[in-house]
Amino acid sequence: MNTTRRTTLALALGLGFSGATLAQAPYPSKPVTLIVPTAPGGTTDLAARMLADPLGKALGQTIVVDNRGGASGAIAAVAVKRAEADGHTLLMQYSGYHVITPHVSKQAAQWEQKDLQPVANVLNAPQVIVVREGLPVRTMAELIAYAKKNPGKLTYASSGNGSLQHVTGAMLEQQAGIQLTHVPYKGTGPALQDLLGAQVDMTFGTPPPYMQHIQSGKLVALAVTGKQRLGSLPNVPTAAEAGLPKLDATSWFAVFAPAATPRPVVDKLSAEIAKLMATPAFQQKAAEQGASADYLNPQQLGDYVKTEYTRWGAVVKASKIEAD
């Protein structure tokens, strides 16, 4: 064998060895960052923190929750889109940002759904319609009557333009024949703070961040936007029971990875999340917060995203919400 052939063979063997070593590299090999597109305090943040510690223990690495709110979720989505596709940077996504914001916000042009690979759905939660303490309404009928007497006076907070809360507010205006004033925030946390401080009058949101304040009387729950009453709020009627049968809006919170993340890594993550979500402790904590632990695998989540994108696109068009 001549020198050239020996060199070529040695190089080929060397490359083969390196490739095998790389393919067999353990995952995760360092701490995992779970980026949240909202400020602390909302359901998206809660979903991330419910996962972080137990999932980190299952994977043998720390999972760091990194809140990057703003730009209607684009800041977080772009950060994950641009991250190394090795499973060490993930996104805890909020459905409003994923399937509604792209229809109404120019910010969403910075990323596309194809940039993010589905991993697992974690939580589903209907919205609860809450008003501040001191507002002279205790039922949806009273809220609608008050709004009709005071057009544009009632303000409602949302986690941002194009969010599910924003679209739900527009739906309520259409269905009830009232006029509200929308006040967008960079996440549920800041919106909740101003609601508790009486800077805004009401909001629509998934139950977890509001539960303790409803129970303490600082906020008044008027209705939930799901098809059934919540076990944690048994005395709060559904929107349909309150006279608004078409006001049906449920949020979901799911994990996504950069598009090019290897499928074995995605499958491992999804499988560990499924195990965690199946535990009574996780399911109970979700239920206590007015949410449900509803696992979807990567394929199921991808299909669901397509359906939701189409459904909410029609709602946005009907609501005439303009792009920012």
Side-chain angles (χ1 to χ4, degrees):
M1 183 181 293
N2 61 36
T3 302
T4 302
R5 289 184 63 190
R6 286 197 299 268
T7 302
T8 301
L9 179 59
L11 180 59
L13 290 172
L15 289 174
F17 176 78
S18 297
T21 301
L22 180 62
Q24 295 171 10
Y27 169 82
S29 59
K30 59 183 178 181
V32 175
T33 299
L34 181 56
I35 296 179
V36 177
T38 64
T43 307
T44 318
D45 180 65
L46 173 70
R49 295 180 190 279
M50 283 178 65
L51 274 186
D53 184 55
L55 182 59
K57 290 178 180 177
L59 294 173
Q61 287 285 352
T62 301
I63 295 183
V64 179
V65 176
D66 183 0
N67 296 85
R68 300 193 194 183
S72 299
I75 292 174
V78 170
V80 176
K81 166 189 172 180
R82 294 175 177 173
E84 186 173 356
D86 59 3
H88 291 95
T89 302
L90 305 170
L91 175 69
M92 175 58 78
Q93 183 65 303
Y94 157 56
S95 60
Y97 288 156
H98 206 75
V99 297
I100 296 178
T101 301
H103 293 288
V104 301
S105 175
K106 294 177 182 178
Q107 298 284 1
Q110 299 177 53
W111 66 276
E112 300 178 55
Q113 289 183 0
K114 67 179 183 180
D115 298 324
L116 302 172
Q117 182 175 178
V119 175
N121 190 65
V122 178
L123 293 181
N124 284 354
Q127 295 188 87
V128 59
I129 302 172
V130 294
V131 298
R132 63 176 174 81
E133 183 181 27
L135 194 69
V137 300
R138 288 295 179 271
T139 67
M140 283 300 299
E142 291 177 355
L143 176 74
I144 292 170
Y146 183 90
K148 287 183 175 180
K149 290 181 181 179
N150 303 276
K153 182 178 179 180
L154 283 175
T155 56
Y156 75 95
S158 81
S159 61
N161 285 314
S163 64
L164 184 59
Q165 297 102 312
H166 183 190
V167 177
T168 303
M171 289 172 64
L172 174 59
E173 288 180 297
Q174 285 192 336
Q175 295 179 26
I178 59 177
Q179 181 182 348
L180 305 172
T181 297
H182 175 225
V183 183
Y185 289 81
K186 293 182 179 180
T188 299
L192 175 57
Q193 289 179 7
D194 273 9
L195 181 61
L196 292 170
Q199 300 302 306
V200 288
D201 297 313
M202 60 183 292
T203 194
F204 314 83
T206 47
Y210 305 103
M211 292 296 290
Q212 64 174 313
H213 304 296
I214 293 171
Q215 293 165 352
S216 70
K218 292 182 179 179
L219 297 177
V220 179
L222 305 183
V224 293
T225 62
K227 297 183 183 301
Q228 298 179 338
R229 293 193 182 197
L230 294 173
S232 53
L233 294 171
N235 296 322
V236 179
T238 64
E241 291 173 330
L244 297 167
K246 295 183 179 180
L247 194 65
D248 183 4
T250 297
S251 298
W252 45 267
F253 306 86
V255 177
F256 289 80
T261 304
R263 190 54 189 257
V265 170
V266 170
D267 288 343
K268 180 176 181 178
L269 277 168
S270 193
E272 292 297 340
I273 290 172
K275 292 177 186 177
L276 168 61
M277 289 176 58
T279 63
F282 191 94
Q283 294 179 4
Q284 181 179 348
K285 187 170 184 179
E288 289 173 349
Q289 300 298 325
S292 58
D294 295 316
Y295 172 76
L296 293 178
N297 65 33
Q299 181 64 49
Q300 293 169 330
L301 178 56
D303 291 343
Y304 185 52
V305 164
K306 293 176 183 177
T307 299
E308 284 281 273
Y309 182 82
T310 300
R311 181 171 80 93
W312 283 107
V315 173
V316 168
K317 183 176 180 180
S319 301
K320 299 180 181 179
I321 295 177
E322 298 181 355
D324 56 16

